[in-house]
């Protein structure tokens, strides 16, 4: 069972120095590209974009493959805002009964909470709400690995 699926990295910086990056003025087409001019529209500070409340935000590193069907890959950085109240169906970091933090889908029921992986191999984990702490994942950051796509 993929229970130890995240590694806590610690709180987000309370006052990071801004590092704005240029943002293209047009969307990147995932299908056949549209011929148009290249231009820059604005800039964005990725930290400010991903971290709404620095004092409540922590970063965790994903470990394992149980959340692959919702787009979370091994070694992704998960942005967790502890001030956000998780809702049914949210991706959360959950801890219970001394277990290491685990990233799962949050499915509360009347008398327990179901934590569901996003793959077909990992069974659900059901725990009583009173034993559980859950925190909402509000963002994901990923560094692409180059040269790993097979062609032909």
């Amino acid at each position: 069972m993929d229970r130890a699926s995240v590694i806590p990295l610690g709180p987000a910086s309370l006052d990071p120095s801004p590092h704005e990056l240029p943002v293209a003025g047009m969307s990147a087409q995932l299908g056949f590209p549209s011929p148009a001019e290249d231009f820059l529209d604005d800039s964005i500070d990725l930290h400010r974009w991903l971290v709404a409340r620095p004092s409540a935000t922590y970063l965790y590193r994903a470990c394992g493959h149980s959340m692959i069907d919702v787009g979370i890959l091994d070694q992704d950085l998960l942005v967790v805002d502890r001030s956000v109240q998780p809702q049914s169906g949210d991706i959360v970091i959950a801890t219970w009964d001394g277990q290491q933090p685990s990233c799962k889908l949050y499915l509360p029921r009347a008398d327990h909470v179901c934590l569901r992986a996003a793959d077909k191999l990992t069974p659900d984990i059901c725990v009583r709400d009173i034993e559980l702490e859950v925190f909402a994942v509000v963002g994901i950051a990923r560094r692409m690995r180059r040269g790993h796509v097979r062609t032909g």
Side-chain angles (χ1 to χ4, degrees):
M1 193 176 337
D2 183 10
R3 285 191 179 185
S5 61
V6 292
I7 298 171
L9 296 176
S13 175
L14 290 177
D15 191 20
S17 46
H19 185 77
E20 294 191 354
L21 302 172
V23 177
M26 36 184 10
S27 299
Q29 298 299 314
L30 299 181
F32 187 74
S34 165
E37 289 183 39
D38 291 332
F39 64 94
L40 299 179
D41 186 34
D42 207 350
S43 64
I44 187 170
D45 179 336
L46 289 176
H47 186 276
R48 293 191 191 285
W49 189 61
L50 287 170
V51 179
R53 288 171 283 285
S55 63
T57 303
Y58 290 79
L59 302 176
Y60 290 79
R61 185 170 306 278
C63 298
H65 304 282
S66 71
M67 296 300 285
I68 196 165
D69 288 348
V70 291
I72 297 175
L73 305 179
D74 187 50
Q75 299 303 302
D76 282 352
L77 286 180
L78 306 175
V79 181
V80 176
D81 187 335
R82 291 180 176 222
S83 70
V84 173
Q85 179 66 38
Q87 298 177 5
S88 184
D90 282 353
I91 298 169
V92 299
I93 297 297
T95 60
W96 67 98
D97 201 26
Q99 297 290 323
Q100 288 185 325
S102 185
C103 181
K104 298 290 182 257
L105 293 165
Y106 176 66
L107 302 168
R109 304 293 187 241
D111 62 342
H112 68 280
V113 171
C114 182
L115 299 170
R116 180 165 293 155
D119 70 357
K120 302 194 185 331
L121 303 174
T122 307
D124 290 351
I125 299 167
C126 294
V127 295
R128 299 234 177 264
D129 193 31
I130 205 165
E131 305 167 359
L132 183 67
E133 284 188 295
V134 292
F135 306 107
V137 174
V138 296
I140 301 169
R142 174 178 306 138
R143 181 175 283 188
M144 301 298 293
R145 291 188 289 174
R146 298 178 63 209
H148 286 80
V149 176
R150 296 185 187 267
T151 56

